[in-house]
Amino acid sequence: MDAWGKDMGIAGTNITFMGDPNSVMVENLGVELTHPGPISKLGPARSKRFGMFIDDAIIKTFHIAEGPDDPAGDTFPEICCIDNMIATMC
């Protein structure tokens, strides 16, 4: 995850990339990808595309980019991009 942050040019900023190799967080957040279409290609233990904006340990907004014909959330990834999440914060 550190290499990804460095490659994206955000290493050392207030953005934190976090890994979930055992899908514990994915399962607890309810974002496990269980649709048979993507799972048949990607294998088990995958996540739907999602984003969270967390400030001082409080989830300010949580967006899942899935749709009826897009269980993985790949068609409209901007749903969980930071600009959209900030614009729609409660």
Side-chain angles (χ1 to χ4, degrees):
M1 300 307 295
D2 290 339
W4 191 13
K6 185 176 180 181
D7 185 58
M8 298 299 293
I10 61 169
T13 69
N14 62 343
I15 296 174
T16 303
F17 284 109
M18 299 168 58
D20 186 23
N22 297 316
S23 298
V24 174
M25 187 172 91
V26 166
E27 290 172 12
N28 284 296
L29 289 172
V31 293
E32 185 176 10
L33 182 58
T34 57
H35 189 279
I39 293 300
S40 67
K41 295 178 178 114
L42 300 172
R46 295 294 180 160
S47 170
K48 298 173 186 175
R49 183 183 301 273
F50 74 96
M52 284 191 292
F53 180 77
I54 304 170
D55 184 27
D56 200 19
I58 297 171
I59 298 173
K60 299 290 187 170
T61 188
F62 179 66
H63 290 225
I64 302 171
E66 73 178 325
D69 296 326
D70 183 22
D74 294 331
T75 303
F76 299 105
E78 62 273 12
I79 290 171
C80 58
C81 289
I82 191 67
D83 292 337
N84 185 57
M85 293 195 330
I86 289 173
T88 59
M89 282 197 321
C90 3

